[in-house]
Amino acid sequence: MPPSSERLHEAPALHVLRGRGSGRGEKMADEGRNAEFLHDCCCRAGSCRGSLPWRRSCWGSAGARGRSSPWDGDAPKSAPTAGRVLAAVTQRPLGLQSPLSPRECLEAARFLCAFGLLFLSWPLLPPSSISKAQPQPLIPAALERGNRALPSREGSRGGRREGAPEAGRERQAARTGAGRAGGVSQAVPTAPARGRTGGSSPACHGAGRSSAAAGRIGADPGSGAGMAAQDPALGCLHGKKQLPAFTWEVRANNRNYHMQFKKKFAFCLTKKKYAGNAIKTAKYNIFTFLPLNLYEQFHRMANVYFVFVILLQTFPEISTLPWFTLLFPLSCLLTIRGLRDLIDDIGRHQSDRNINSRPCEILSGKSFRWQKWRDICVGDIVRLRKESFVPADMLLLCSSEPSSLCYVETADIDGETNLKFRQALLVTHQELVSEESMAAFDGRVTCEEPNSRMHSFTGTLEWRGETYPLDSERILLRGCKLRNTDVCYGLVIYAGFDSKIMRNCGKIKQKKTKLDRVMDRLVIIIFLMLLVTSLCLAIASGFWAKMFQEKHSYLSALYKHTTPAQQAFFNFWGFTILLSIIIPMSMYITFEFIYLVNSFFINWDLEMYYAVKDIPAKARSTSLNDQLGQIEYIFSDKTGTLTQNVMNFKKCCINGTIYGAGTGHDNKQPSGSGLTWSHHGEEKLDFCDAMLLEATRRDSDPVLREFLRLLALCHTVMVEEKGDQLVYQAASPDEEALVLAARNLGYVFLARTQDTITISELGVKRTYKVLAMLDFTSDRKRMSVLVRDPQGRIRLYTKGADTVILERLQSRGPNETFTEMALDRFAQETLRTLCLASKEVSEVEYSVWGRRHHEASVLLQDRVRELDKLYEEMEQNLQLLGATAIEDKLQDGVPETIQLLKLGNIKVWVLTGDKQETAMNIGYACKLLTDDMEILEEKEISEILEAYWVSNNNLSSSGEALCSGHLSQQRPEALRHKKRALIISGDFLDKILHTGEVLKEKKGRLWRWLDCFRATGSQEQGSLVEKAFVDLATGCQAVICCRVTPKQKALIVQLVKKHKKAITLAIGDGANDVNMIKTADIGVGISGLEGMQAVQCSDYALAQFSYLQRLLLVHGRWAYLRICKFLRYFFYKTFAGLMAQVWFAFHSGFTAQPLYEGWFLALYNIFYTTYPVLSMGLLEQDVSAKKSLEFPELYVIGQQDELFNYRVFSVTLLHGVSTSLASFYIALWAFQDRIGSRAVGDYESFAITVATSALLSVLMEIILDTKFWTALSFLMVTASLLLFCLFSFLTQSFEAFRIAPAIFHFPDASQNALTDPYVLLVVLLSLVVNTIPSLTIRLYRTIVGKTTIQQKICLKARREPEPSVELRAHVPRGSFRRRSSYAFSHQEGYAGLITRGDSLRVGATRSTAPALLRPETPPDLSCPRSPSA
């Protein structure tokens, strides 16, 4: 295209750029939007088809404007023609080019028509509509190469003009849209040492680089939606997952600025955009409790049914009982449940009040004042002191440490107790040195919107005309605890519910058990049966009335006001009310009582009482007990739940000799014979070997000397001297354990400077010069330190995983072979192994290597790769010194508990924020992983999922619905039968659960084609990938998810619930487990060291993980057994006693006349039959607690819903109907045209006979099925009979009849009937007839029926008793898979800080520090120790 054409199309954009600093900025911005709209109309008219080569000219030079075209991509074949057309109709001089072809003429005509329409409609178009118009690509060409954005230049410093915020937002949206849609979470580049791009896929690195370039100094981070939101091509690649826009702007010390912003949250209602710091986790307040609680309670179908019946009772024409007689028990039921919810919510209110009332120092005016956490606002500057919790997500401004370092403990966020460091920007560290400078600070932070990504943050700080990049290393998250830092200052970025930990907490959900859901469906089924029965009886009553009136015409005067149809109508409602007691309200009240008492049994269980800390088990929810007996998957946190997070140095192998427990020469150190050289605060040793102590004292073994010297020198531990005590702070507890072991053996780490390390060797102080530190990374799996000793020799000390150390040895001899055997032994004992090696380096070798190391360390490109090469060269030809073994101490009984749970068909998944090596070690230690398991890691998982996907997508398009079901058939048989374990990381999990991104990387063109041309089924495809992953994971015997965020933990639980319809339990001890606990069907909180957040949000609270076996295998299974039997027999007794009303209707002209006395109907479900069923629901046991733990296979019954399901309900219904039929028709046969010796065959006597027969049959059935008899069981059965006799005498006496004949209308009926031998024989006959079938069925099952699970287990126990659970592995390991190095840290260690000197104090640091950073004595304010969230 000629230059003039480029200038024509580039002009509006250039004007926009130039207009930033002038008063014409708004006008120029409008011109830019008009140019965008022109391009849009051209695209829609067909001249460019959405993606053409000349789009760069259309939009102008991207580099000149600092933005990239959102339509970058490959052009269709017609693009050159369209380009020539545009050139022809704009700037091409006639006669200088070749004549247009007919096709080009047609294109030119189409373009001119579109341009003419645009010209005519231009004055009518408002600027807002023009600016919002976005072209929609009509072909997926952009997907072929990943939507690469054009490179952009740096704009003018400052970026955004205050006078034109909207124009700035439009420009920023165009700059960063493609980068965000490409999955780039960091649009602003960070410092080279820490720069990383989070969440970007390979297909979109170009877009990420472009958006990052656009976000450099001068780029505007204002608000505005990205182009990706409207671009279907980008949307196809990433589904619905859109990363937050960079529209969050925080201005320091400017509350008024943040108060003016509002956001819409419901209909036309608005609220503040910037949340306050007060949190509210409670569900109700004083105004919403009653309506909201009633709304929740009426989600139960039974309550709706009862209200419907009460409304029917208010009509006197059809009422059979006063309406208030049903309203009273319903009110009691609603009140009991409401009070229970109220008590739980009051506890949440108290927790919220305690957290919101914590004291903190907020900058107010020009000084800091003590206020509450709830008073903090976005933009405030807060001062924090040592051991205090961070109240909000804050940007670290400065601290009292060198280089403004700040050490925090993140136990509540990721479960780790080791320290992490954060560092302030250099400019704020240098400038903010007084309260006056803090008060004058007016920096502006622009960053991403509040989100739940705990480990990432992207933003910029603009201050004094300069822009500085921000990342997660500058941010203090809410819930962190300040450690080893006297004072620090932070700018609040996210407060309250906008903070990352609160974004991960999730919402409180109403949990319902599986039996509750079954009961809701059964209520609907029973109600429909009731309506059908009532309708049939009503129709029959209409026909009967018609026949009766025709036959007895002389009684027509009685029916002149009613017709048979009217009579049928009223009888329909009469039968509905009469039969409504088939779903008795008393059942739900008794239900709540059983739940409550079973919860007390959990609270009172002394076997789950932790005497060390005086913590009993606590059932915080009283309505989920039965679901404890149906758990299929347990999702457990690691740190603090499975482990104590305490590292103990247990054993070591030095020069071919093993020292430590179990070696034969270990004993306790004698009192008074302490190590004379270790005077820096001794601690109690778990590791004590007399032979090693003696060898250390002699100091005759050079290998032992080098081994201990390595432990004291090769680390990144910080040391602080407090009095005469040395306090070590390490990047991980493993490192601290090694340094402490060396100290206790005489090699004491004393101090370090930027280039020296001072240690005490058996009381002799020696200083080593540090020449280089080769830091640990996850890829290297080792760290080294190159030092010059006081004698001038240069030595390299290295420690790392055996897999990387053994292959770098100079030679292999007997000691090396023995060390490998020792490593195998340590690994079998589930200890964390590490190899130690060293070598001497010559001066010549070091001089050459040191020069190359310096050159590589100052490279701007490929620095890390070049340094790794140099490290690899140096760490060769090593001499093996020995190996160490550290125990990551498990909680008591964890391996035994997991073994029992696995025998009970319960699968345990570990979801942890820790690194993979650590999690795998714990998996082996707790017997979740075994030596004979095949470990599936990310590569194998990708291949398997890809095979699933390809095999399922080879099906025909019409068979899309079959894909999901076909997955399980595609699984290889080996996957089902081989023992496999799945190990997956949070990043990989995030990829595969968002439209199969990992698979797209493998099959780029295929997946992009699928995403665009089958976009309508993107949700189904995402569900297919999810189901493939869940099928794969659930087919494995163990699953460990590492480095997962709290939200990912909840996502995994939700996926299993969604695709497997399984009952899940989540157990954890920290705030990072809260979301998982809320999402699972059952949430269990561990009362550990990390506060009470998990306990406050849990359904059950335990002190130890091992108590889970008793909670599930004993209390859970018993509760399920009791509730199921209670439901079965309550339904049985109801049908058996009250279905006789239906049979009586066939003999009473279908008139809805009750068979029984009204008092019998009222008391049948309250006194006569409730107590035996209640005792069964409270005390029933099939086996004892001891047998339940000995035979965990019994637990499978609950998982398979064997004791109560639709089949059991149907059998119960038929059993009850048959009992009522026998009781009714045997009595009818006996009373038909017969009389006894004293009693006539009247209606009252007949009703009493049927009632007594049904009652005794029900009690006999309960007696036969009760397996655990107690004194209370006998008492309950006896009480039922006595109460029946008592109330029958009271309600059927002549005295009561005289007082109220309308209410007590069965005078002396029971006395007359039940004293007649003839009636008693009829009752006995009915009892025998009803009992014989039950006895026959039980006898048949015992003799020829299938063997029960209990019998199978007993046979198995007699034949081959279960081996006891041991801590040692039964199968020796034959590979290096079990060996693992220590988890030094999740990222690089402190080596960078040490070599730069950032972390080291100088002698006068405290005395010369500015007054702002000197710690002051805070006022005496009580502050709860538990973290926030």
Side-chain angles (χ1 to χ4, degrees):
M1 183 178 293
S4 57
S5 175
E6 293 185 8
R7 286 194 297 271
L8 172 69
H9 293 284
E10 187 177 347
L14 290 174
H15 284 309
V16 173
L17 181 63
R18 294 163 186 158
R20 286 183 180 178
S22 65
R24 299 179 298 164
E26 290 290 338
K27 180 180 179 181
M28 296 303 105
D30 287 341
E31 291 180 14
R33 290 192 290 266
N34 294 344
E36 295 178 14
F37 183 73
L38 170 63
H39 183 275
D40 183 20
C41 292
C42 294
C43 292
R44 296 180 186 277
S47 60
C48 65
R49 296 296 180 190
S51 181
L52 296 176
W54 53 268
R55 62 193 176 281
R56 301 175 186 239
S57 298
C58 250
W59 281 85
S61 172
R65 294 179 300 142
R67 61 186 281 177
S68 58
S69 168
W71 291 287
D72 259 350
D74 293 341
K77 293 181 180 180
S78 61
T81 302
R84 293 186 61 197
V85 170
L86 183 62
V89 299
T90 54
Q91 292 293 323
R92 183 167 63 173
L94 296 175
L96 297 180
Q97 302 288 341
S98 59
L100 292 175
S101 66
R103 181 177 178 182
E104 292 176 4
C105 293
L106 180 59
E107 293 286 349
R110 296 174 64 185
F111 176 82
L112 290 175
C113 291
F115 192 85
L117 290 174
L118 173 64
F119 180 78
L120 293 175
S121 60
W122 192 271
L124 304 177
L125 295 173
S128 60
S129 65
I130 297 173
S131 64
K132 293 179 181 178
Q134 300 291 345
Q136 302 292 332
L138 302 179
I139 61 173
L143 294 179
E144 294 295 332
R145 294 183 183 175
N147 291 281
R148 294 183 297 274
L150 293 174
S152 60
R153 300 176 185 171
E154 293 183 358
S156 58
R157 192 177 298 272
R160 176 173 173 179
R161 189 176 61 82
E162 295 295 333
E166 293 301 327
R169 293 189 181 98
E170 294 290 339
R171 293 193 296 272
Q172 179 64 15
R175 287 189 194 96
T176 61
R180 287 194 303 274
V184 181
S185 65
Q186 186 169 346
V188 182
T190 60
R194 296 189 185 98
R196 54 183 176 267
T197 302
S200 61
S201 63
C204 302
H205 284 325
R209 289 191 292 270
S210 175
S211 66
R216 291 191 179 97
I217 298 174
D220 174 25
S223 62
M227 287 288 184
Q230 290 90 14
D231 192 345
L234 297 175
C236 285
L237 269 177
H238 299 277
K240 296 182 180 180
K241 184 188 177 187
Q242 296 292 338
L243 298 183
F246 296 91
T247 60
W248 193 261
E249 186 174 300
V250 178
R251 297 190 180 184
N253 295 316
N254 194 345
R255 285 193 176 187
N256 293 331
Y257 172 77
H258 304 109
M259 294 287 289
Q260 64 184 343
F261 291 96
K262 306 286 184 182
K263 65 178 180 181
K264 185 180 296 185
F265 71 97
F267 302 107
C268 59
L269 302 178
T270 60
K271 64 178 180 180
K272 294 179 182 179
K273 176 182 177 181
Y274 297 90
N277 202 46
I279 63 169
K280 175 181 172 294
T281 60
K283 294 170 62 177
Y284 314 111
N285 57 39
I286 192 172
F287 301 106
T288 62
F289 170 72
L290 190 60
L292 189 57
N293 188 260
L294 288 176
Y295 172 78
E296 291 175 350
Q297 292 212 50
F298 280 103
H299 273 67
R300 296 176 182 262
M301 292 306 301
N303 293 339
V304 178
Y305 169 77
F306 294 143
V307 170
F308 173 73
V309 174
I310 290 173
L311 291 177
L312 291 181
Q313 293 280 31
T314 59
F315 296 96
E317 292 83 0
I318 59 176
S319 175
T320 57
L321 291 173
W323 61 272
F324 51 82
T325 59
L326 290 176
L327 181 62
F328 177 73
L330 178 61
S331 302
C332 293
L333 179 63
L334 297 178
T335 302
I336 292 171
R337 287 176 173 165
L339 288 175
R340 182 191 64 197
D341 295 338
L342 179 63
I343 292 172
D344 291 343
D345 209 56
I346 288 175
R348 298 189 191 101
H349 275 287
Q350 292 174 347
S351 173
D352 294 344
R353 194 177 303 113
N354 292 337
I355 292 173
N356 293 330
S357 299
R358 289 176 177 173
C360 63
E361 290 181 273
I362 305 174
L363 182 61
S364 179
K366 294 188 177 182
S367 63
F368 285 89
R369 297 180 181 176
W370 285 95
Q371 300 184 52
K372 306 292 186 183
W373 274 26
R374 59 171 171 262
D375 301 322
I376 294 176
C377 296
V378 172
D380 287 352
I381 295 179
V382 179
R383 175 160 61 190
L384 301 177
R385 300 181 183 277
K386 185 188 291 187
E387 302 300 323
S388 63
F389 289 100
V390 180
D393 292 351
M394 304 192 305
L395 169 66
L396 179 62
L397 298 177
C398 60
S399 77
S400 57
E401 294 296 302
S403 303
S404 278
L405 283 174
C406 181
Y407 298 96
V408 293
E409 182 183 281
T410 59
D412 259 359
I413 294 177
D414 52 20
E416 300 167 21
T417 56
N418 53 288
L419 297 189
K420 298 178 176 61
F421 67 87
R422 301 290 182 262
Q423 188 170 13
L425 291 170
L426 181 62
V427 62
T428 58
H429 165 68
Q430 294 174 344
E431 299 293 334
L432 303 180
V433 294
S434 65
E435 292 190 1
E436 289 76 14
S437 61
M438 285 285 182
F441 179 64
D442 60 350
R444 184 178 67 183
V445 174
T446 306
C447 59
E448 58 195 16
E449 290 282 329
N451 58 76
S452 60
R453 296 191 301 276
M454 302 292 297
H455 305 294
S456 68
F457 176 83
T458 304
T460 59
L461 170 65
E462 297 180 29
W463 188 37
R464 296 177 178 176
E466 300 288 338
T467 304
Y468 308 94
L470 302 176
D471 59 11
S472 59
E473 303 298 326
R474 316 289 186 191
I475 301 298
L476 302 177
L477 296 181
R478 178 186 176 116
C480 295
K481 190 174 184 179
L482 200 64
R483 300 288 298 274
N484 287 29
T485 306
D486 294 326
V487 179
C488 76
Y489 296 81
L491 172 66
V492 177
I493 305 296
Y494 306 127
F497 283 106
D498 289 336
S499 60
K500 291 183 178 290
I501 188 65
M502 294 305 297
R503 286 269 172 163
N504 277 280
C505 281
K507 296 182 179 179
I508 298 175
K509 301 175 183 178
Q510 183 88 13
K511 292 186 178 181
K512 296 179 67 175
T513 67
K514 184 185 286 189
L515 285 179
D516 273 339
R517 292 189 287 270
V518 171
M519 284 296 299
D520 284 344
R521 300 187 190 102
L522 287 180
V523 166
I524 297 175
I525 293 173
I526 294 172
F527 181 62
L528 292 177
M529 291 170 53
L530 185 151
L531 291 181
V532 171
T533 303
S534 300
L535 181 62
C536 294
L537 293 176
I539 293 174
S541 71
F543 282 107
W544 188 89
K546 182 178 180 181
M547 293 172 55
F548 184 83
Q549 291 178 21
E550 291 176 354
K551 185 176 181 179
H552 305 279
S553 57
Y554 54 88
L555 298 176
S556 58
L558 298 175
Y559 300 100
K560 65 179 180 178
H561 297 296
T562 59
T563 63
Q566 291 175 333
Q567 188 171 348
F569 176 78
F570 287 118
N571 280 338
F572 169 76
W573 296 111
F575 278 120
T576 301
I577 295 173
L578 185 65
L579 299 177
S580 64
I581 54 177
I582 288 181
I583 307 177
M585 220 171 294
S586 59
M587 181 179 72
Y588 287 90
I589 298 176
T590 312
F591 223 32
E592 295 296 326
F593 184 73
I594 292 175
Y595 275 129
L596 181 65
V597 174
N598 278 309
S599 300
F600 287 152
F601 290 158
I602 294 175
N603 298 343
W604 297 336
D605 192 346
L606 293 178
E607 297 293 330
M608 296 194 294
Y609 171 70
Y610 190 52
V612 176
K613 294 186 178 180
D614 189 27
I615 301 176
K618 174 69 174 176
R620 293 173 51 83
S621 175
T622 60
S623 59
L624 302 174
N625 299 333
D626 59 282
Q627 197 146 263
L628 288 172
Q630 298 179 283
I631 302 297
E632 297 179 55
Y633 292 89
I634 293 177
F635 301 91
S636 174
D637 182 37
K638 181 188 75 69
T639 306
T641 303
L642 298 177
T643 69
Q644 302 179 24
N645 205 32
V646 175
M647 305 297 175
N648 291 328
F649 190 93
K650 301 297 288 186
K651 294 185 179 183
C652 62
C653 176
I654 306 172
N655 199 20
T657 304
I658 297 178
Y659 301 97
T663 57
H665 45 73
D666 57 297
N667 59 353
K668 294 298 180 183
Q669 184 178 345
S671 59
S673 62
L675 304 180
T676 57
W677 53 76
S678 182
H679 57 276
H680 296 279
E682 294 184 29
E683 295 181 358
K684 182 180 178 181
L685 287 177
D686 283 335
F687 172 81
C688 185
D689 190 293
M691 184 176 176
L692 179 59
L693 292 176
E694 185 61 30
T696 304
R697 284 193 179 97
R698 289 198 304 266
D699 194 23
S700 58
D701 187 351
V703 176
L704 174 60
R705 188 186 309 122
E706 287 294 302
F707 181 94
L708 297 176
R709 187 175 291 159
L710 186 151
L711 294 182
L713 292 174
C714 186
H715 55 77
T716 58
V717 174
M718 310 289 187
V719 62
E720 182 180 1
E721 190 167 353
K722 292 184 177 180
D724 60 344
Q725 298 288 324
L726 292 177
V727 179
Y728 295 141
Q729 297 296 339
S732 74
D734 307 81
E735 289 242 276
E736 185 178 4
L738 293 174
V739 176
L740 287 174
R743 185 185 74 177
N744 292 320
L745 290 171
Y747 286 71
V748 185
F749 169 50
L750 297 177
R752 81 183 325 143
T753 65
Q754 185 173 348
D755 56 358
T756 64
I757 295 180
T758 302
I759 65 174
S760 172
E761 299 182 0
L762 302 180
V764 179
K765 184 179 294 187
R766 294 166 62 93
T767 299
Y768 293 80
K769 184 177 181 180
V770 179
L771 303 178
M773 293 193 72
L774 288 59
D775 200 7
F776 168 87
T777 64
S778 296
D779 294 330
R780 285 169 36 79
K781 296 184 179 179
R782 62 192 183 277
M783 78 160 292
S784 303
V785 59
L786 192 64
V787 299
R788 187 188 300 272
D789 63 15
Q791 287 74 33
R793 294 191 301 268
I794 300 175
R795 292 197 65 86
L796 176 75
Y797 294 102
T798 302
K799 64 181 180 182
D802 53 359
T803 54
V804 296
I805 298 295
L806 294 178
E807 65 186 16
R808 288 167 172 80
L809 298 181
Q810 183 177 15
S811 60
R812 287 178 177 265
N815 285 342
E816 285 75 11
T817 303
F818 186 84
T819 302
E820 287 193 62
M821 296 172 59
L823 286 170
D824 287 339
R825 176 177 171 181
F826 296 159
Q828 290 177 7
E829 297 173 13
T830 67
L831 301 175
R832 300 166 69 164
T833 59
L834 193 71
C835 283
L836 279 62
S838 69
K839 77 170 184 178
E840 188 169 348
V841 181
S842 66
E843 289 287 348
V844 175
E845 181 182 359
Y846 169 70
S847 62
V848 175
W849 185 89
R851 176 177 50 80
R852 295 173 58 200
H853 178 265
H854 176 72
E855 293 173 355
S857 63
V858 296
L859 289 176
L860 296 179
Q861 294 182 349
D862 297 331
R863 179 188 302 175
V864 175
R865 186 175 63 183
E866 293 300 322
L867 287 175
D868 283 343
K869 288 182 180 178
L870 288 173
Y871 295 167
E872 182 70 24
E873 291 178 10
M874 177 57 69
E875 294 167 332
Q876 296 293 336
N877 300 320
L878 303 174
Q879 178 184 357
L880 185 66
L881 299 177
T884 62
I886 281 185
E887 178 189 25
D888 188 356
K889 201 164 186 179
L890 294 173
Q891 290 189 6
D892 295 335
V894 168
E896 293 86 347
T897 300
I898 290 181
Q899 287 296 306
L900 284 176
L901 295 176
K902 289 169 71 175
L903 290 174
N905 196 35
I906 301 174
K907 294 186 177 180
V908 181
W909 292 20
V910 176
L911 313 181
T912 176
D914 215 335
K915 63 177 293 187
Q916 180 170 331
E917 290 85 353
T918 308
M920 289 182 65
N921 268 334
I922 296 302
Y924 282 113
C926 66
K927 303 304 177 186
L928 186 63
L929 302 179
T930 56
D931 296 317
D932 57 346
M933 281 186 179
E934 179 185 357
I935 306 297
L936 298 179
E937 297 187 359
E938 295 180 359
K939 181 181 178 181
E940 294 86 354
I941 296 170
S942 296
E943 293 173 354
I944 294 174
L945 292 181
E946 182 182 344
Y948 284 176
W949 183 277
V950 171
S951 63
N952 280 276
N953 279 278
N954 284 337
L955 301 175
S956 63
S957 58
S958 61
E960 188 74 19
L962 298 176
C963 290
S964 177
H966 194 66
L967 270 172
S968 58
Q969 301 174 11
Q970 293 291 330
R971 182 183 296 122
E973 287 299 319
L975 186 60
R976 296 180 180 176
H977 301 294
K978 291 183 66 175
K979 296 182 68 174
R980 295 192 176 189
L982 187 143
I983 314 292
I984 191 170
S985 68
D987 291 337
F988 188 79
L989 181 72
D990 195 42
K991 291 179 181 179
I992 65 175
L993 294 184
H994 288 92
T995 66
E997 189 172 340
V998 167
L999 305 181
K1000 294 176 200 169
E1001 296 174 9
K1002 294 273 186 180
K1003 309 280 287 184
R1005 185 180 297 269
L1006 170 64
W1007 297 109
R1008 295 181 184 121
W1009 184 87
L1010 285 174
D1011 276 338
C1012 287
F1013 290 94
R1014 297 170 63 187
T1016 56
S1018 60
Q1019 185 174 359
E1020 290 79 3
Q1021 293 179 29
S1023 179
L1024 183 61
V1025 176
E1026 289 177 358
K1027 190 176 188 306
F1029 169 71
V1030 173
D1031 284 345
L1032 175 62
T1034 54
C1036 298
Q1037 278 65 41
V1039 176
I1040 297 179
C1041 300
C1042 319
R1043 301 299 286 159
V1044 290
T1045 64
K1047 200 165 189 177
Q1048 286 176 324
K1049 291 183 179 183
L1051 175 63
I1052 294 171
V1053 176
Q1054 187 63 42
L1055 285 177
V1056 174
K1057 290 174 61 177
K1058 173 184 175 183
H1059 293 288
K1060 289 299 176 182
K1061 309 298 181 186
I1063 304 301
T1064 59
L1065 180 145
I1067 180 169
D1069 67 326
N1072 57 322
D1073 305 312
V1074 167
N1075 203 351
M1076 172 178 70
I1077 287 173
K1078 290 179 179 178
T1079 304
D1081 296 295
I1082 299 289
V1084 179
I1086 297 292
S1087 304
L1089 300 176
E1090 298 183 17
M1092 300 294 289
Q1093 290 77 9
V1095 171
Q1096 289 166 355
C1097 297
S1098 65
D1099 305 305
Y1100 299 89
L1102 302 175
Q1104 294 279 296
F1105 180 86
S1106 59
Y1107 297 159
L1108 199 60
Q1109 58 176 304
R1110 189 168 180 88
L1111 181 68
L1112 300 184
L1113 302 180
V1114 178
H1115 291 283
R1117 204 179 64 80
W1118 279 354
Y1120 174 72
L1121 171 73
R1122 292 163 180 170
I1123 292 296
C1124 289
K1125 280 198 168 186
F1126 166 79
L1127 289 175
R1128 177 182 171 186
Y1129 282 99
F1130 213 105
F1131 280 122
Y1132 166 71
K1133 75 182 184 63
T1134 303
F1135 292 134
L1138 304 179
M1139 283 298 290
Q1141 301 275 8
V1142 178
W1143 320 133
F1144 182 66
F1146 286 91
H1147 302 275
S1148 62
F1150 304 100
T1151 56
Q1153 177 185 351
L1155 167 63
Y1156 301 124
E1157 179 197 13
W1159 286 104
F1160 180 83
L1161 291 175
L1163 300 176
Y1164 179 77
N1165 280 322
I1166 297 178
F1167 293 111
Y1168 299 165
T1169 57
T1170 296
Y1171 294 126
V1173 181
L1174 177 62
S1175 68
M1176 180 179 287
L1178 293 178
L1179 304 173
E1180 179 66 356
Q1181 300 176 16
D1182 53 351
V1183 294
S1184 65
K1186 182 180 178 181
K1187 292 295 183 183
S1188 296
L1189 294 174
E1190 286 181 5
F1191 303 109
E1193 294 89 348
L1194 292 170
Y1195 192 82
V1196 179
I1197 298 174
Q1199 294 175 336
Q1200 298 174 352
D1201 300 326
E1202 291 188 8
L1203 299 185
F1204 191 82
N1205 49 43
Y1206 296 110
R1207 181 187 62 82
V1208 172
F1209 173 76
S1210 301
V1211 172
T1212 301
L1213 174 62
L1214 293 176
H1215 189 190
V1217 168
S1218 64
T1219 300
S1220 65
L1221 278 171
S1223 301
F1224 180 83
Y1225 280 102
I1226 288 176
L1228 183 65
W1229 167 76
F1231 275 76
Q1232 190 171 9
D1233 297 332
R1234 292 178 178 83
I1235 58 172
S1237 57
R1238 289 189 301 165
V1240 296
D1242 59 336
Y1243 160 65
E1244 288 93 348
S1245 300
F1246 174 73
I1248 294 298
T1249 305
V1250 175
T1252 306
S1253 301
L1255 176 62
L1256 294 179
S1257 298
V1258 167
L1259 292 178
M1260 181 58 68
E1261 189 67 27
I1262 293 174
I1263 290 171
L1264 289 175
D1265 206 51
T1266 299
K1267 296 183 178 179
F1268 185 70
W1269 281 94
T1270 63
L1272 184 63
S1273 303
F1274 285 104
L1275 181 62
M1276 291 295 189
V1277 174
T1278 305
S1280 295
L1281 293 174
L1282 293 178
L1283 287 173
F1284 172 69
C1285 297
L1286 176 64
F1287 281 107
S1288 297
F1289 173 77
L1290 293 177
T1291 59
Q1292 296 174 14
S1293 64
F1294 267 111
E1295 288 74 14
F1297 176 76
R1298 290 193 188 99
I1299 296 172
I1303 298 177
F1304 305 100
H1305 51 270
F1306 267 46
D1308 275 349
S1310 294
Q1311 184 176 355
N1312 291 334
L1314 298 180
T1315 55
D1316 189 344
Y1318 183 82
V1319 172
L1320 293 178
L1321 287 174
V1322 172
V1323 171
L1324 180 61
L1325 177 62
S1326 299
L1327 180 61
V1328 171
V1329 170
N1330 287 325
T1331 304
I1332 285 179
S1334 296
L1335 291 174
T1336 303
I1337 292 174
R1338 285 177 171 81
L1339 183 63
Y1340 175 79
R1341 286 178 177 175
T1342 303
I1343 297 176
V1344 297
K1346 63 179 182 180
T1347 309
T1348 63
I1349 292 181
Q1350 290 91 333
Q1351 292 170 341
K1352 291 180 180 178
I1353 292 173
C1354 291
L1355 290 173
K1356 176 183 176 183
R1358 283 197 295 266
R1359 291 173 184 171
E1360 44 179 348
E1362 286 289 329
S1364 59
V1365 179
E1366 298 180 4
L1367 288 178
R1368 289 176 175 269
H1370 295 287
V1371 182
R1373 178 179 57 79
S1375 69
F1376 290 111
R1377 186 175 294 276
R1378 281 271 305 269
R1379 299 179 188 169
S1380 176
S1381 61
Y1382 297 126
F1384 295 104
S1385 61
H1386 293 317
Q1387 300 169 353
E1388 289 77 10
Y1390 291 159
L1393 295 177
I1394 294 170
T1395 54
R1396 293 195 305 269
D1398 290 347
S1399 62
L1400 304 175
R1401 292 184 180 274
V1402 294
T1405 298
R1406 292 185 179 273
S1407 60
T1408 61
L1412 176 70
L1413 301 179
R1414 293 178 188 167
E1416 302 171 3
T1417 303
D1420 187 12
L1421 293 174
S1422 60
C1423 177
R1425 292 184 58 84
S1426 59
S1428 64

